[in-house]
Amino acid sequence: MNTAVQSRPLTRAARREARLQATAERVARLPLPESAGWLARAREAALDRLSAMGLPERRDEYWRFTDPAPLVAEAAAPADVFQITDEPLVFSGIDRLKLVFVDGVFDPAASDDLAAEGLEICRLAEAGQTDIHWAQDLYGTLEARGHQPVPRPLGALNSAMASDGLLIRATGKVSRPVSLIYSRKDPDADTSLHHVIRVEPGAEMTLLENGPVAARYSVVTEASIGAGGTLHHVRAQGRDHGRSGITHFYAQLAEEAVLKSFTLSANGRVLRNEAVIWLDGKGGSAHVAGAAMGDGAFHHDDTVFVTHGAPGCESRQVFKKVLRNGAVGVFQGKILVEQPAQLTDGYQISQSLLMDERSQFLAKPELEIYADDVKCSHGSTSGEIDDDQLFYLRARGVTEAEATNLLVLAFLSEALEEISREDLAEEIRVRLEGWLGRHRR
Amino acid sequence: MLEIKDLHVKLEEEDKAILKGVSLTVEAGKVHAIMGPNGSGKSTLSYVLSGRDGYEVTEGKALLEGKDLLEMEPEERAAAGLFLAFQYPVEIPGVGNMTFLRTAVNAQRKARGEEEMSSGEFLKAVRAKAKELKIDADMLKRPVNVGFSGGEKKRNEILQMAILEPRMCILDETDSGLDVDAMKLVSQGVNALRDAGRAFLVITHYQRLLDHIRPDVVHIMADGRIVKSGGPELALEVEKNGYADILAEVSA
Ligand SMILES: Nc1ncnc2c1ncn2[C@@H]1O[C@H](COP(=O)(O)OP(=O)(O)OP(=O)(O)O)[C@@H](O)[C@H]1O
Ligand SMILES: [Mg+2]
């Protein structure tokens, strides 16, 4: 009997030992997808990274607000497939290149031809053997870079395990969006997707993503934006209630490069969206924004890390969450301004609108600044619908429900403004109005 | 049009009586003015009539064209034809002025079982009224009252009134904060709406507004009651002598 020993708290070193041991056992059992060439090597390297840091645990500082257990557990919880029948699928009004995944597997028959003007697109599952110089030196590279200063083991797990995904290269200004459509059939699917996006200097593209991917999913996107290049990214994560997922969106920006990324999330058991951005060249601009609507058993986490590594860059983080019936929202956001990054303009806002007392918002906004000539601001608030505004609207004849919706949309508008194309913003607005219409008190 | 009978109101949160038996009848086609010292309950009366939370009616009633106002939700009162131009118009960041106006117009029409206004019709109406009130296009595009000056907010209230065409208009100190020219514009806006089927209750501290909007009846409110009513000459008396004489005469 050694109960006395067991009940004593473990030391830090012992805890770390236990974690690495458990991770090693898990790694040994992982069914790595078959691959060859550079991809096989990248997977091995990712596994080594994972083994060195271990899988995340609730007590980790970076997982204090979100329990990683459902994302880490060996078996994924099933999630009913949610059929959207009450509104057109998001982006259906947009002329776009459609690339369809079903339960995390690329479906060429349902997709448009991969050959498109100004683009090279290649499927990850078929890429290992071929020499794709523009993608193979990126795959796993940004994920590896992203472990400093905070380890993101689930990113490494994805690089090792991702069974499918797309490698996309933009060589010119491409106006027609590339649209990744995730659909589900299998209530049990557990999937990892990994995309690589390379925007060459001066090139421009728009990446759309919609749908819930799988019952449980991990999606990593590694984007490298060359000098003067632009990447627009708009993502809507579907409405399936039972699913759990984690995404990592890594982006590095060269001189004068531009990134605009917006994510709409509604429903979902656990959903964590990490964005890791590096402004590496001077004059770059990175905007990351999100609107999340949570009702009931909903846990939504935005974890954002923006590093200003070069002078004269601008970054914005705008995250808004509407929470009701006990939903939980998390925001962890950081702006790191390194010493060379003079004349940085950094902005971060995270706000929640709590529709009742059971819902909660947990926020950890952070600034870390090593340059002396910078302009950085951050703020985080939690509020309710303003009674005076509500009364003013009602006194003009607007019903309480409609007035509430107007105020919720007003609350979200700063995030929606980060969508650069009006037609895409309108697509998102329609989904928000739909959500509000379905969730009247 | 509007019939208020022995209205007693206290605060919901604390045991403080604000209105202590207000009785007042405004007939269709008429303009009544209410004057009275600060804190006498004028705004409270306007809020209670329009249905704001936080007040409890302990006695009395208020009828709009015979219908019990106090039983209705604020939006129902608006659809029934009641309009309050706020003493302190509320800023609503993120809601465009035009969106707000159109939503309000159509919500009221819907509640009355009327057809929605087409966007062309609506735009035309707003542009025309805005021009009369010298509200420029830029102000229409901005979020509701955000960054508006005090006087701009008041003009925006009158614009809403002109578009919504209510039957019973309560104006709470719409003149305060207005420059001389704006006061004329606002008064013209009000006078343009005067007709046999519409009534006004104008709360003000100054005779000057009543030079432009000639009232039929002037009431003096003090400590939660109407203490004296009379013709336009009552306002002139207040302007000249303040409230002291009137209050002394009433309590005597
Ligand atoms: N919500 C509230 N909480 C506390 N006191 C209140 C509240 N609402 C009104 N009062 C009080 O009731 C009284 C009447 O206020 P009201 O705003 O109606 O006065 P008024 O006649 O409009 O004054 P003014 O001429 O200054 O606008 C004041 O003493 C005010 O402080
Ligand atoms: Mg007042």
Side-chain angles (χ1 to χ4, degrees):
Chain A
M1 291 295 280
N2 59 354
T3 36
V5 176
Q6 277 189 353
S7 65
R8 199 179 302 148
L10 290 174
T11 63
R12 243 180 117 91
R15 276 210 308 263
R16 179 177 155 77
E17 196 52 44
R19 177 202 304 243
L20 293 184
Q21 181 63 34
T23 303
E25 284 166 18
R26 182 71 183 282
V27 163
R29 289 195 299 274
L30 281 179
L32 276 203
E34 241 178 76
S35 47
W38 62 265
L39 186 55
R41 290 193 297 278
R43 291 188 195 284
E44 287 300 332
L47 271 191
D48 289 346
R49 283 192 291 278
L50 175 62
S51 303
M53 58 195 143
L55 286 162
E57 293 175 358
R58 183 65 194 260
R59 70 164 70 87
D60 296 347
E61 180 60 22
Y62 229 44
W63 290 91
R64 215 152 49 103
F65 298 141
T66 299
D67 186 357
L71 300 169
V72 171
E74 207 142 357
D80 288 343
V81 174
F82 186 87
Q83 298 292 354
I84 294 179
T85 52
D86 51 359
E87 62 185 1
L89 288 180
V90 63
F91 307 135
S92 50
I94 305 291
D95 175 34
R96 62 208 162 123
L97 183 75
K98 290 185 206 147
L99 305 171
V100 178
F101 291 79
V102 179
D103 294 316
V105 181
F106 184 64
D107 182 351
S111 302
D112 291 337
D113 192 0
L114 294 189
E117 182 80 30
L119 291 169
E120 282 174 52
I121 304 176
C122 178
R123 190 176 164 189
L124 179 70
E126 297 163 354
Q129 300 281 28
T130 355
D131 172 37
I132 310 178
H133 62 94
W134 53 266
Q136 68 193 52
D137 62 353
L138 263 181
Y139 187 97
T141 307
L142 299 192
E143 170 259 297
R145 186 180 180 189
H147 298 300
Q148 282 303 326
V150 192
R152 301 169 197 276
L154 295 178
L157 179 64
N158 178 293
S159 296
M161 294 293 297
S163 48
D164 217 333
L166 292 169
L167 313 173
I168 303 173
R169 180 192 199 187
T171 52
K173 290 203 187 302
V174 185
S175 57
R176 197 163 169 236
V178 175
S179 179
L180 312 186
I181 300 164
Y182 306 124
S183 70
R184 292 186 58 206
K185 289 209 173 98
D186 176 359
D188 296 308
D190 182 14
T191 304
S192 295
L193 293 179
H194 196 119
H195 309 300
V196 169
I197 314 282
R198 182 161 216 123
V199 178
E200 296 294 352
E204 178 167 352
M205 69 167 281
T206 300
L207 177 71
L208 307 179
E209 294 180 87
N210 72 285
V213 190
R216 180 171 74 175
Y217 59 95
S218 160
V219 177
V220 163
T221 306
E222 294 176 291
S224 176
I225 311 171
T230 300
L231 175 61
H232 301 285
H233 177 223
V234 183
R235 175 166 65 172
Q237 300 186 298
R239 284 164 52 190
D240 296 39
H241 293 270
R243 46 65 192 264
S244 22
I246 176 150
T247 70
H248 291 81
F249 186 85
Y250 302 95
Q252 63 184 18
L253 284 74
E255 236 177 83
E256 306 279 337
V258 174
L259 167 70
K260 279 201 147 199
S261 175
F262 173 90
T263 300
L264 169 70
S265 319
N267 308 343
R269 214 155 60 90
V270 186
L271 209 47
R272 168 140 155 165
N273 293 321
E274 297 200 20
V276 188
I277 317 286
W278 296 273
L279 290 150
D280 290 336
K282 58 178 203 282
S285 162
H287 293 199
V288 234
M293 323 287 289
D295 194 23
F298 168 93
H299 184 106
H300 187 275
D301 175 331
D302 281 300
T303 291
V304 183
F305 202 113
V306 175
T307 304
H308 283 256
C313 293
E314 178 237 11
S315 73
R316 282 173 73 84
Q317 302 173 33
V318 182
F319 287 85
K320 305 262 182 165
K321 297 177 202 283
V322 180
L323 305 168
R324 61 172 34 142
N325 294 324
V328 178
V330 173
F331 175 78
Q332 307 189 88
K334 179 143 181 175
I335 308 175
L336 169 62
V337 182
E338 291 177 338
Q339 204 242 317
Q342 299 297 351
L343 303 175
T344 283
D345 183 352
Y347 174 76
Q348 180 198 84
I349 184 103
S350 64
Q351 294 180 311
S352 74
L353 189 62
L354 303 178
M355 307 301 280
D356 53 52
E357 282 171 5
R358 292 194 295 139
S359 305
Q360 55 170 331
F361 180 54
L362 306 161
K364 193 173 145 200
E366 290 180 288
L367 284 178
E368 193 176 330
I369 300 175
Y370 297 101
D372 43 35
D373 189 7
V374 305
K375 195 175 95 194
C376 273
S377 65
H378 68 169
S380 181
T381 62
S382 230
E384 297 155 21
I385 291 280
D386 183 291
D387 284 341
D388 289 337
Q389 294 177 347
L390 190 65
F391 175 65
Y392 190 68
L393 289 166
R394 295 180 72 191
R396 295 298 176 253
V398 184
T399 61
E400 183 173 13
E402 201 177 349
T404 305
N405 288 356
L406 263 182
L407 294 175
V408 171
L409 286 173
F411 165 76
L412 294 170
S413 64
E414 189 185 358
L416 284 174
E417 277 161 22
E418 295 298 336
I419 302 174
S420 41
R421 263 175 59 168
E422 186 43 43
D423 55 347
L424 297 176
E426 187 55 29
E427 288 274 338
I428 296 295
R429 210 171 287 124
V430 168
R431 303 318 118 174
L432 288 171
E433 282 166 5
W435 189 90
L436 289 165
R438 292 187 297 271
H439 290 78
R440 296 234 159 116
R441 278 176 293 183
Chain B
M1 176 69 67
L2 178 67
E3 204 182 342
I4 306 167
K5 274 197 200 142
D6 196 28
L7 193 64
H8 286 70
V9 170
K10 72 177 217 29
L11 292 177
E12 220 163 50
E13 300 274 297
E14 53 184 292
D15 223 11
K16 182 174 170 187
I18 314 261
L19 300 184
K20 303 169 183 172
V22 175
S23 295
L24 180 67
T25 299
V26 187
E27 306 81 12
K30 300 286 187 212
V31 175
H32 286 218
I34 299 188
M35 304 181 82
N38 293 130
S40 55
K42 305 181 296 296
S43 293
T44 302
L45 175 64
S46 71
Y47 285 144
V48 170
L49 291 175
S50 49
R52 188 193 179 112
D53 281 343
Y55 306 100
E56 191 185 320
V57 175
T58 50
E59 234 185 290
K61 53 185 173 179
L63 307 175
L64 180 68
E65 299 188 297
K67 281 174 287 189
D68 185 355
L69 267 183
L70 304 178
E71 282 299 306
M72 296 188 226
E73 296 294 336
E75 55 268 32
E76 293 169 338
R77 303 180 196 203
L82 185 75
F83 180 91
L84 167 64
F86 283 59
Q87 181 172 4
Y88 304 108
V90 179
E91 298 187 5
I92 313 184
V95 176
N97 220 0
M98 287 299 257
T99 308
F100 165 63
L101 272 170
R102 179 154 51 215
T103 308
V105 168
N106 286 332
Q108 291 200 13
R109 290 188 164 217
K110 198 171 150 200
R112 292 193 291 257
E114 299 165 11
E115 236 177 87
E116 289 199 354
M117 209 168 187
S118 78
S119 51
E121 219 183 324
F122 171 78
L123 269 177
K124 233 175 103 185
V126 173
R127 289 217 183 99
K129 311 273 186 202
K131 200 171 161 207
E132 284 169 19
L133 287 160
K134 294 221 165 81
I135 290 177
D136 57 50
D138 178 55
M139 252 171 77
L140 292 173
K141 278 190 221 137
R142 295 215 304 253
V144 178
N145 293 327
V146 176
F148 287 27
S149 73
E152 286 170 344
K153 285 181 183 168
K154 296 300 178 75
R155 270 184 282 159
N156 201 29
E157 294 292 289
I158 300 305
L159 174 67
Q160 292 167 36
M161 185 171 85
I163 304 274
L164 293 169
E165 300 184 331
R167 299 165 62 75
M168 179 68 229
C169 311
I170 305 175
L171 276 59
D172 191 359
E173 291 196 32
T174 301
D175 53 335
S176 58
L178 290 181
D179 64 43
V180 181
D181 296 330
M183 171 110 61
K184 269 194 194 135
L185 287 175
V186 162
S187 308
Q188 280 162 14
V190 171
N191 288 332
L193 282 171
R194 284 178 80 156
D195 76 40
R198 187 172 281 128
F200 291 83
L201 188 59
V202 180
I203 297 170
T204 183
H205 286 294
Y206 304 108
Q207 161 63 31
R208 208 171 54 178
L209 179 73
L210 304 179
D211 285 342
H212 298 291
I213 308 173
R214 301 220 142 257
D216 299 293
V217 182
V218 175
H219 305 276
I220 307 296
M221 187 161 192
D223 192 26
R225 289 183 193 89
I226 303 289
V227 294
K228 188 168 183 179
S229 303
E233 70 287 348
L234 199 51
L236 287 168
E237 193 187 325
V238 167
E239 179 89 348
K240 221 165 58 205
N241 304 326
Y243 292 109
D245 291 355
I246 297 173
L247 296 185
E249 163 197 335
V250 169
S251 64

